[in-house]
Amino acid sequence: MQSLGGIRSWPATYRATTASMTTTTESMRKVAQVVTVAGSDSGAGAGIQADIKVCSARGVYCASVITAVTAQNTHGVQSVHLLPPEFVSEQLKSVLSDLQIDVVKTGMLPSPEIVDVLLQSLSEYPVRALVVDPVMVSTSGHVLAGSSILSIFRERLLPVADIITPNVKEAAALLGGGVRIQTVAQMRSAAKSLHDMGPRFVLVKGGDLPDSSDSVDVYFDGKEFHELHSPRITTRNTHGTGCTLASCIAAELAKGSNMLSAVKVAKRFVDSALNYSKDIVIGSGMQGPFDHFLRLKKKDLRQSTFNPDDLFLYAVTDSRMNKKWNRSIVDAVKAAIEGGATIIQLREKEAETREFLEEAKSCVEICRSNGVCLLINDRVDIALACDADGVHVGQSDMPVDLVRSLLGPDKIIGVSCKTEEQAHQAWKDGADYIGSGGVFPTNTKANNRTIGLDGLKEVCKASKLPVVAIGGIGISNAESVMRIDEPNLKGVAVVSALFDQQCVLTQAKKLHKTLRESKREQQ
Ligand SMILES: Cc1ncc(COP(=O)(O)OP(=O)(O)O)c(N)n1
Ligand SMILES: Cc1nc(C(=O)O)sc1CCOP(=O)(O)O
Ligand SMILES: [Mg+2]
């Protein structure tokens, strides 16, 4: 198998197959395809069932090779039946000899013999990437793959994996020798040692770490570490998070993402699904499943795509600043995302429509591949034409109810509010969030009325919607904004603090750190 940048190039077998298909026409489309090699979960929260849901939610076709059938529900695993290795081999052959599989994702591999047939199949039918989720124990504590599996994992599976995604317990088991992983520093060291066993990338998941307010995962590419933070979500509905993360990585790789983007998108996907599903009730046990399609909460379908936590670090672009610092909008957006921006708004007051549309399309692509929403300021036409995630409007722009009727139920709409009345109206009109300011004086927007921290507090208290603060906010005063301690104040929106700066990446990182620290202090 040959390496090409992020993941491998198309195997010769795929090219040969498509070339020989008698029905191939110019208009036929290649569909990104994953096969999951895992166990069936009768409760459908994890395993094969979760994998198929994730891939479908991410627009990727998912075939399935079943290694074991579990009798399982929200209380735990009642029974496990292993499939004979020969039959797993038959399934692998059926799928890999026919479908044009891009990525193989593994979950429960319950016996060394099953790992052996998988490795045999991979050598006969090479694929672009192998994602290994080294499942060993279920959420409820049931052993799904015992210690007999460890030597074949270490010696034969890990060396051919593109990425492995162990949690801290699985990482410790793979490393052996009584290794304990209880801190982020120990996760880093474990990621490095696991990388030495052969996989090209390692993601050690820290969801089970004791005493941390954030959920921190450590990603290692052999040279650099990345710490991926997300807020810890309190819910019983966490069954299947590991399968979901690994399958989402596989789906993004199948679509052509590089590994780091795939991992970031997958982490955000899991966070959004957990957050959205935190109060749904399925089953009577303590390991509830979550909703991969963000659709089961019927009460308000419209809010399904919007995660209010995305307002945490809201980057608003400015054409004058980009010109001044001689950078394109696209470069500005890339740097902001890399530095930790959790949502982007293109506020290009002076741009020509045609040029703006082209830039907006490029930004949509970048944001989508990073799992970050992109909104357009004022211009509903541009948002529609580039299929942005939504629009931000002010009190003198197009009214929110009209924007909603034009954009439809799934897009995100933000509206600027300086008063309690405006906040009530925003809710009635169908907005998703409120931008409230100017919290401090600003040079970015002419003649802007400053409402101060007290004004912001009033709007937050009056609003049923999540709020993002805006106006004159930067590293030096962001903490004072978050300290007003209103539960629906989700973050800060900034223009000059990121974009009227020499290095957008550095400023975004610093501001993200400041916001994280102030959030931690409040918890
Ligand atoms: C997040 C956010 N909040 C407020 C605004 C201001 O919008 P508006 O009042 O329409 O002013 P302009 O940005 O159009 O000058 C915003 N853009 N973003
Ligand atoms: C676009 C905008 N809207 C505001 C409002 O009060 O609604 S203040 C503002 C400008 C924010 O820029 P900076 O972060 O550079 O101060
Ligand atoms: Mg406006």
Side-chain angles (χ1 to χ4, degrees):
M1 289 188 274
Q2 221 181 22
S3 175
L4 177 81
I7 56 174
R8 297 177 189 108
S9 58
W10 297 110
T13 45
Y14 168 70
R15 286 193 297 270
T17 317
T18 45
S20 66
M21 280 196 309
T22 48
T23 49
T24 304
T25 67
E26 282 291 302
S27 63
M28 289 179 101
R29 279 190 305 128
K30 159 81 177 89
V31 173
Q33 296 174 40
V34 165
V35 61
T36 167
V37 183
S40 157
D41 169 1
S42 54
I48 288 276
Q49 288 81 355
D51 299 343
I52 294 176
K53 285 188 270 183
V54 181
C55 289
S56 308
R58 304 300 306 172
V60 170
Y61 187 83
C62 185
S64 55
V65 166
I66 300 182
T67 57
V69 181
T70 68
Q72 193 171 168
N73 57 22
T74 62
H75 292 271
V77 179
Q78 287 81 47
S79 180
V80 178
H81 174 73
L82 267 56
L83 268 81
E86 302 73 36
F87 193 70
V88 175
S89 175
E90 291 287 334
Q91 295 175 73
L92 281 162
K93 185 172 179 191
S94 297
V95 171
L96 293 171
S97 66
D98 177 29
L99 280 63
Q100 292 80 42
I101 295 295
D102 300 298
V103 180
V104 172
K105 176 257 162 185
T106 68
M108 180 180 175
L109 297 173
S111 72
E113 292 76 18
I114 287 179
V115 181
D116 192 49
V117 299
L118 168 69
L119 290 165
Q120 182 62 33
S121 300
L122 286 173
S123 68
E124 280 170 41
Y125 303 102
V127 292
R128 293 172 70 205
L130 173 63
V131 175
V132 172
D133 180 19
V135 174
M136 289 178 197
V137 180
S138 72
T139 336
S140 57
H142 198 103
V143 174
L144 299 173
S147 53
S148 65
I149 208 78
L150 287 172
S151 60
I152 194 162
F153 268 31
R154 288 178 191 137
E155 286 153 29
R156 294 184 56 207
L157 187 62
L158 266 51
V160 294
D162 288 273
I163 184 164
I164 59 167
T165 61
N167 58 32
V168 287
K169 283 185 200 142
E170 290 157 350
L174 285 168
L175 290 171
V179 166
R180 287 166 69 85
I181 308 175
Q182 291 179 320
T183 64
V184 174
Q186 288 167 341
M187 284 169 70
R188 282 175 168 249
S189 151
K192 192 164 185 318
S193 305
L194 287 169
H195 188 268
D196 290 342
M197 292 178 166
R200 296 172 64 215
F201 301 90
V202 177
L203 180 72
V204 179
K205 299 173 293 191
D208 296 333
L209 271 198
D211 306 328
S212 72
S213 54
D214 277 5
S215 151
V216 186
D217 296 344
V218 169
Y219 173 89
F220 184 57
D221 61 12
K223 285 197 193 104
E224 262 188 283
F225 289 97
H226 293 259
E227 278 178 24
L228 308 173
H229 291 255
S230 59
R232 201 172 275 281
I233 297 159
T234 311
T235 171
R236 65 184 266 285
N237 300 326
T238 58
H239 180 48
T241 42
C243 305
T244 301
L245 186 89
S247 291
C248 192
I249 293 172
E252 295 309 308
L253 292 177
K255 287 189 274 184
S257 282
N258 67 41
M259 192 61 83
L260 182 56
S261 298
V263 168
K264 283 186 175 176
V265 168
K267 189 162 163 68
R268 290 179 63 80
F269 177 76
V270 171
D271 291 343
S272 301
L274 281 178
N275 194 40
Y276 179 78
S277 316
K278 61 185 172 212
D279 52 6
I280 62 172
V281 180
I282 294 175
S284 54
M286 286 312 292
Q287 285 97 46
F290 54 95
D291 175 6
H292 295 87
F293 293 99
L294 312 176
R295 278 285 180 273
L296 292 178
K297 214 159 72 174
K298 282 237 170 59
K299 231 179 16 182
D300 190 354
L301 277 184
R302 191 177 52 67
Q303 297 215 347
S304 61
T305 48
F306 177 57
N307 178 356
D309 291 330
D310 287 348
L311 298 174
F312 187 60
L313 173 44
Y314 189 147
V316 182
T317 68
D318 181 294
S319 43
R320 276 180 301 127
M321 293 175 196
N322 284 334
K323 256 187 219 126
K324 172 177 161 191
W325 291 98
N326 201 21
R327 62 171 84 93
S328 66
I329 305 180
V330 172
D331 286 342
V333 166
K334 272 188 193 159
I337 292 176
E338 201 184 332
T342 51
I343 190 165
I344 304 284
Q345 179 190 134
L346 301 187
R347 181 176 179 270
E348 299 293 319
K349 295 285 188 188
E350 291 158 14
E352 299 283 341
T353 298
R354 183 76 65 98
E355 196 186 340
F356 185 22
L357 178 57
E358 289 313 309
E359 285 164 332
K361 282 182 184 166
S362 305
C363 292
V364 165
E365 237 173 71
I366 291 156
C367 287
R368 219 148 264 170
S369 70
N370 283 283
V372 170
C373 288
L374 179 95
L375 310 190
I376 307 288
N377 178 274
D378 296 351
R379 300 282 304 265
V380 180
D381 56 339
I382 298 279
L384 282 168
C386 72
D387 190 28
D389 298 297
V391 165
H392 186 95
V393 286
Q395 294 295 324
S396 49
D397 299 319
M398 190 182 284
V400 170
D401 52 355
L402 185 51
V403 180
R404 174 61 69 205
S405 69
L406 291 170
L407 292 188
D410 291 333
K411 297 290 183 186
I412 302 167
I413 301 178
V415 60
S416 311
C417 298
K418 289 184 190 290
T419 66
E420 294 178 24
E421 294 69 34
Q422 290 172 354
H424 292 305
Q425 194 61 41
W427 162 257
K428 282 190 204 149
D429 288 346
D432 291 293
Y433 76 88
I434 283 172
S436 189
V439 179
F440 304 113
T442 176
N443 292 325
T444 304
K445 184 171 161 67
N447 308 317
N448 191 46
R449 183 163 73 83
T450 302
I451 62 168
L453 289 170
D454 290 342
L456 173 66
K457 211 170 166 69
E458 269 173 30
V459 170
C460 288
K461 282 194 187 304
S463 173
K464 290 187 196 175
L465 294 171
V467 178
V468 60
I470 188 165
I473 301 171
I475 292 161
S476 62
N477 57 16
E479 198 200 341
S480 67
V481 176
M482 297 315 287
R483 232 189 290 128
I484 71 164
D485 207 16
E486 291 297 332
N488 58 343
L489 178 67
K490 296 295 180 186
V492 299
V494 294
V495 185
S496 52
L498 293 188
F499 297 113
D500 201 3
Q501 309 286 336
Q502 187 162 31
C503 182
V504 176
L505 173 63
T506 310
Q507 296 308 313
K509 278 185 176 169
K510 281 188 188 164
L511 186 52
H512 194 271
K513 185 160 179 273
T514 306
L515 290 169
R516 274 206 322 268
E517 283 167 359
S518 65
K519 192 169 172 190
R520 208 166 289 144
E521 267 170 30
Q522 278 164 28
Q523 281 169 343

